[in-house]
Amino acid sequence: MVRYLPLGNGRMLLTFDEDYHITDFYYSKYASENHSGGHPFMYGLSIDGNFLWVDRNHLKFMDYFDHTMVGTVFYPMAGIDFESLDMVDMYTNVYLRHINITNTSNARKNIKLFFHQNFYIYGNDIGDTAAFYPDLGGVVHYKENRYFLASTLDDDNKGMDQYATGIKDTGTLKGTWKDAEDNELSMNPVSIGSVDSVLRHSVDIDPGKKFSVYYYIVAGEGYKEIQKIKNNINLDYLRKLERRTTNYWELWSSKISPNLDPDTNALFRRSLFIIKSHSNVLGSIAASSDSDILKMSHDGYYYMWPRDAAVAAYALSIAGHSQTARQFFGLSTSLITEQGFMQHKYNMDGHLASSWLPHIINGMEIYPIQEDETALLVWVLWEYFRRYNDIGFTAPFYEGLVIKAAEFMTSFVNEDGLPRESFDLWEERYGIHAYTVSTTFAALKAASNFASVFGDQDLSKKYAAAATRMYEAFEQKFYSEEYGRYARAIIDGKPDFTVDSALSSIVIFGMKEPQDSRVVSTMEAIMEKLWVNGVGGIARYENDNYMRIKEDSNVPGNPWIITTLWMARYFMKTGDLERGWSLIEWVKSHRQKSGIFSEQINPYTGQPHSVSPLVWSHAEMVITLMEYSSYSHNQNP
């Protein structure tokens, strides 16, 4: 299911679904634990005794507010205008919802707001406790060293007037949320096990008047931590929190703009928010916070893939937000193996994550890696240095990261100079892949440049020679005069000429010139074979069965955001900005209401498919728009 309005501060990350339910609630030192796991926190309203749960049918507007990572939601009903501002404070672990209520009718109205808490602490509902704490004026959900306090405060300094805790999803007990539907809560003070809770806040509003209610959740590692924050909470504090959060994001998002049309500039900022919200204080950048895929595979996308994270770090750095990239490089130095490669993927706290890549194939021990993940790290670090000339920051990474990885890449080769077999970027095939060759070539060039900067001329020549030899072997082994294009891979010694969008990497990472006739014929094949007739967009490769809707020989696969943007970047490099822009426009037309991009698009309906948001999609959009801006401005007199 599509996620909306990701809000985060590096330790806490919240997402919403289309019904304005909090659906994912990540919190820990490194935002590595999901304490809701896709189970909704509902939000209810009662106007003069008429109760309803707010859902998509009531929402008129849901978006980020004015270039900030603050959500704004508008939902008028029964003569009352409701507008919410949602945010996560940058400095404390507090989620805040500021609800502005305007009585546009001619009668006094009684309003009751109902806030549902549906925690699955540490990702499960075993042994949770929900209890009303009189000294804190709210309901606390806790287990071990995870505590969550929920409460309210309004313009008159009044808090919630009723509460309920209870058992959910057990036998005939659906949850305490059912207790709210008659407008009155049970006032049950404590429940254990699989539990939820509801708060009620009541106000009377005269005609033409406005009133505000704040709902907040404080997260901490123990009672004392949430108590300390709670002791600071009053109206002035909540208003200060709202003001500083809004101001922070306004300044953060205004550093660099592609200077295009207002809609595109706004989408650019939103993509930056998505990437930033998925990064933590350690330097990890998650692929996606969407936990719905857990229902399919009992595993998800809330991991750091070095590839996705490197592309995201690159996007942030070229957009002027180098801090996250710097943190990512620091984390990567601690994660790279002694052999000099990055593992498949990592948990957000830096520990090795689950992996389906085997350690043995056909009885032979192998490295369970995708070499492009190691290569991209070196390439992005060089691009950072090239842009910022930050020798003081970069120097500590030279030996521990650049040299270590470059030595691995120069040794992990076959006799012809091509990389040895590893898994492809799609995590499906074991062989020598064009994308791996392109990124490794770029990384070796980057390592050569680094070695030259640091005066290691022998190493510089070594890495440059390895890159040249790799390029020459690629030309010899991957190109076919018969097909008139490049193979996507060599598998078991045989070239695989399946048309694959990842072949655009040979231009994107600078291994080939875009005007080269061999490149042109390869890219034409991608447009011919992978363009999805009807809905449009570029599929990953011919006959892609991943999350396929149905068997259909007319559809090569589901179109992806990143693959379509790759082709946009290729056309821009050829000077065809019009064609590149048309692909950008296609991607823009498949965003969600709040500017969210999914991984894939349904080839029949044009609706988002698979996880949403996908950070890689947003990173590619940032990169593509920055490149388009550069090319278009250079073309103008």
Side-chain angles (χ1 to χ4, degrees):
M1 183 181 291
V2 176
R3 295 299 194 259
Y4 289 82
L5 305 176
L7 308 171
N9 65 6
R11 299 170 304 278
M12 181 186 286
L13 169 61
L14 276 70
T15 68
F16 301 81
D17 65 13
E18 198 171 5
D19 293 314
Y20 191 35
H21 300 149
I22 296 172
T23 312
D24 293 300
F25 196 120
Y26 294 89
Y27 165 70
S28 71
K29 184 178 181 181
Y30 301 124
S32 58
E33 302 158 0
N34 193 343
H35 301 289
S36 57
H39 299 89
F41 289 39
M42 296 186 293
Y43 171 43
L45 298 175
S46 175
I47 303 174
D48 290 338
N50 297 310
F51 177 89
L52 59 85
W53 292 111
V54 175
D55 62 26
R56 70 194 72 181
N57 298 311
H58 308 112
L59 305 180
K60 299 300 181 184
F61 184 79
M62 182 162 62
D63 202 347
Y64 284 116
F65 171 71
D66 194 24
H67 309 321
T68 69
M69 200 195 295
V70 175
T72 177
V73 186
F74 182 60
Y75 42 109
M77 57 188 74
I80 305 294
D81 285 350
F82 295 92
E83 184 178 19
S84 296
L85 294 173
D86 293 79
M87 67 206 72
V88 170
D89 183 43
M90 283 304 301
Y91 307 104
T92 57
N93 296 319
V94 177
Y95 158 68
L96 178 67
R97 178 177 298 176
H98 181 190
I99 304 160
N100 294 296
I101 307 168
T102 304
N103 185 352
T104 61
S105 73
N106 296 320
R108 182 179 174 87
K109 295 287 186 177
N110 175 256
I111 311 294
K112 292 181 172 65
L113 309 174
F114 294 85
F115 304 97
H116 173 231
Q117 291 72 230
N118 194 17
F119 286 101
Y120 285 69
I121 301 177
Y122 293 113
N124 64 76
D125 58 358
I126 300 172
D128 288 4
T129 298
F132 177 69
Y133 279 53
D135 58 325
L136 299 178
V139 170
V140 175
H141 286 247
Y142 72 88
K143 180 164 61 187
E144 296 179 21
N145 60 342
R146 295 291 178 265
Y147 278 66
F148 302 93
L149 164 67
S151 191
T152 63
L153 190 65
D154 66 22
D155 282 346
D156 290 337
N157 277 303
K158 293 180 179 177
M160 53 183 253
D161 62 336
Q162 284 191 0
Y163 60 84
T165 71
I167 306 299
K168 67 188 179 190
D169 300 329
T170 303
T172 60
L173 300 175
K174 296 182 178 180
T176 307
W177 59 271
K178 290 294 292 182
D179 187 33
E181 294 178 348
D182 64 358
N183 288 295
E184 301 294 326
L185 300 180
S186 69
M187 305 294 283
N188 182 44
V190 62
S191 298
I192 62 169
S194 180
V195 296
D196 66 347
S197 66
V198 180
L199 312 179
R200 190 185 81 176
H201 194 108
S202 303
V203 298
D204 292 303
I205 306 179
D206 290 328
K209 297 297 184 180
K210 297 182 178 181
F211 198 75
S212 291
V213 177
Y214 290 91
Y215 164 66
Y216 57 87
I217 299 177
V218 178
E221 296 188 359
Y223 174 81
K224 289 184 179 180
E225 187 172 340
I226 62 171
Q227 182 189 45
K228 181 178 179 180
I229 297 174
K230 170 62 178 177
N231 288 342
N232 292 325
I233 291 179
N234 54 37
L235 275 176
D236 287 340
Y237 178 83
L238 295 177
R239 289 165 181 163
K240 171 187 173 182
L241 183 154
E242 181 177 4
R243 185 168 57 251
R244 75 186 185 188
T245 301
T246 304
N247 290 346
Y248 176 91
W249 289 115
E250 284 179 346
L251 291 171
W252 188 89
S253 67
S254 63
K255 278 192 171 184
I256 292 178
S257 171
N259 294 319
L260 301 171
D261 61 274
D263 178 65
T264 304
N265 290 339
L267 187 58
F268 175 83
R269 292 188 183 95
R270 281 157 173 73
S271 288
L272 290 176
F273 293 149
I274 302 305
I275 301 169
K276 181 61 176 175
S277 70
H278 284 67
S279 65
N280 68 16
V281 296
L282 184 65
S284 291
I285 306 174
S288 178
S289 55
D290 184 352
S291 64
D292 272 4
I293 200 168
L294 291 170
K295 300 172 185 176
M296 298 173 53
S297 62
H298 289 273
D299 208 346
Y301 277 46
Y302 197 68
Y303 297 108
M304 186 191 78
W305 274 264
R307 175 194 313 103
D308 300 45
V311 174
Y314 174 64
L316 287 175
S317 67
I318 66 174
H321 303 291
S322 60
Q323 180 184 8
T324 300
R326 290 158 63 102
Q327 291 172 325
F328 169 67
F329 298 139
L331 173 63
S332 298
T333 302
S334 69
L335 297 180
I336 195 166
T337 65
E338 287 302 314
Q339 297 94 328
F341 59 78
M342 298 296 286
Q343 301 275 19
H344 178 201
K345 59 188 173 84
Y346 300 86
N347 292 309
M348 290 296 284
D349 61 5
H351 288 100
L352 192 63
S354 60
S355 176
W356 51 87
L357 303 184
H359 293 249
I360 187 170
I361 289 182
N362 297 326
M364 295 182 62
E365 184 177 1
I366 64 166
Y367 289 136
I369 64 170
Q370 301 159 287
E371 190 180 0
D372 65 273
E373 295 199 292
T374 303
L376 278 171
L377 177 59
V378 177
W379 177 77
V380 171
L381 182 60
W382 170 253
E383 290 298 309
Y384 168 87
F385 175 78
R386 190 169 66 87
R387 176 171 294 272
Y388 292 101
N389 197 28
D390 191 348
I391 190 69
F393 170 77
T394 310
F397 300 117
Y398 176 58
E399 291 190 356
L401 189 60
V402 175
I403 298 302
K404 183 180 284 189
E407 288 297 308
F408 170 75
M409 288 184 286
T410 54
S411 63
F412 192 67
V413 293
N414 295 315
E415 291 183 358
D416 56 10
L418 288 172
R420 288 171 54 188
E421 291 87 348
S422 67
F423 288 91
D424 67 339
L425 80 161
W426 306 130
E427 303 172 321
E428 295 173 342
R429 283 164 291 278
Y430 185 71
I432 307 167
H433 312 281
Y435 187 89
T436 305
V437 177
S438 301
T439 52
T440 305
F441 170 87
L444 288 171
K445 285 286 192 179
S448 175
N449 292 335
F450 268 126
S452 180
V453 167
F454 285 96
D456 288 335
Q457 296 305 323
D458 289 343
L459 285 180
S460 180
K461 292 176 182 178
K462 174 183 176 181
Y463 301 148
T468 298
R469 189 161 178 249
M470 192 171 291
Y471 168 81
E472 292 171 348
F474 177 80
E475 286 293 298
Q476 181 182 357
K477 297 291 183 67
F478 275 74
Y479 187 77
S480 166
E481 294 289 350
E482 177 185 353
Y483 285 91
R485 53 184 169 84
Y486 290 102
R488 70 167 172 179
I490 296 175
I491 298 176
D492 294 330
K494 298 178 181 178
D496 177 358
F497 285 98
T498 302
V499 177
D500 193 316
S501 63
L503 279 161
S504 58
S505 63
I506 64 179
V507 174
I508 288 173
F509 295 105
M511 190 169 71
K512 297 287 296 182
E513 292 297 323
Q515 293 84 5
D516 186 295
S517 60
R518 293 182 170 190
V519 170
V520 172
S521 61
T522 302
M523 298 302 111
E524 286 177 348
I526 291 175
M527 290 302 298
E528 177 186 351
K529 297 289 187 180
L530 301 185
W531 182 258
V532 180
N533 292 323
V535 73
I538 301 292
R540 290 196 302 175
Y541 52 81
E542 292 178 284
N543 302 314
D544 181 7
N545 287 314
Y546 179 58
M547 291 198 172
R548 196 174 184 90
I549 306 300
K550 63 181 179 181
E551 289 299 321
D552 186 343
S553 60
N554 295 316
V555 175
N558 301 332
W560 282 48
I561 299 296
I562 59 173
T563 56
T564 307
L565 290 172
W566 284 343
M567 291 307 295
R569 294 174 66 189
Y570 161 71
F571 285 120
M572 289 188 295
K573 288 180 183 296
T574 68
D576 192 345
L577 296 189
E578 182 177 354
R579 203 169 182 187
W581 182 254
S582 69
L583 293 176
I584 294 172
E585 284 288 321
W586 180 88
V587 172
K588 288 174 59 181
S589 71
H590 288 85
R591 61 184 164 179
Q592 298 309 299
K593 294 175 183 177
S594 60
I596 295 288
F597 291 125
S598 59
E599 179 184 69
Q600 307 172 43
I601 300 298
N602 185 308
Y604 303 102
T605 67
Q607 295 301 306
H609 195 54
S610 188
V611 296
S612 179
L614 184 72
V615 166
W616 193 357
S617 296
H618 286 278
E620 287 290 344
M621 176 55 89
V622 169
I623 296 166
T624 304
L625 292 180
M626 290 294 290
E627 291 181 354
Y628 181 86
S629 176
S630 176
Y631 291 133
S632 61
H633 291 151
N634 287 338
Q635 280 192 2
N636 292 332

